[in-house]
Amino acid sequence: MQKSITILLFFLIITSGYGQSNPEVDPIQIQKTYTDWSAYQSKKIILSRDFVAFDSNSKEISKESFLDQLANGNYIPIQLKSDDAVYYYKLFKIQTKSDTSIKATINQIGFDALKNYKMEGTAFPPFSFKDLNGNLVTNESMKEKIIVIKCWYIHCTPCIREFPQVNKLAEEYKDRQDILFISLAEDSPEQLKAFLARKPLSYSVIPNMKEYMNEALQLNSFPTHFIINKEGMIAKVLPNFESLEVALAKESKL
């Protein structure tokens, strides 16, 4: 009887960990062309989400260490098979014959993701802005509220492409008086008013923010979204709408 129980436990341990050690795609095959890798990366690897990280030897590591190795190493991230709601990412060596653009792109993506991750848990830089309607927006006036901030500029195609999605998100939370949607734009008031007349944005829009975004926020990738919690701390820094939607749903329930 004891032997049967031992065998059963061994089987459960093996099978429960099975999905977490097997990549959902062939790490070598996915590197055959830059196009194949890029299509997989954009759909499956969201570095701003919460995930369990493994190094190339299948050892669990911190998210910061994982992102650091992507930024400075020679690895691609692959999602592992899983039967639960948790995401598992593992590092795999980049093949010597792979397109050099894969490594260059991953290093840049990893660098941006690491920089964003290190901002989380820190205070959002002090601000005092006026939006296009003349309303003053400051740290003090935003106390005890969740602030969703979209950083963008008129000629940023990905920024504009997600307008319908972020507008829908703002509509979903319109009855939450403790959640505010603000956008920081590089462009002048005149440029923004003309542009937004054709492509409306449901966020409060603050013009002439290029210097603030470059110096105070040190942004080099657009769009970038911030979620500021009710204590004025940065809860999440996110590169796209998909990750924003998930993170805001989580923050709004806290």
Side-chain angles (χ1 to χ4, degrees), residues 46 48 162 165 225 239-247:
I46 303 176
S48 56
E162 65 178 18
Q165 295 167 303
H225 302 270
N240 52 48
F241 169 78
E242 288 75 17
S243 48
L244 169 64
E245 185 177 32
V246 173

Side-chain angles (χ1 to χ4, degrees), residues 230-242:
K230 293 183 178 183
E231 288 72 47
M233 309 298 284
I234 299 173
K236 276 290 183 182
V237 186
L238 309 149
N240 52 48
F241 169 78
E242 288 75 17

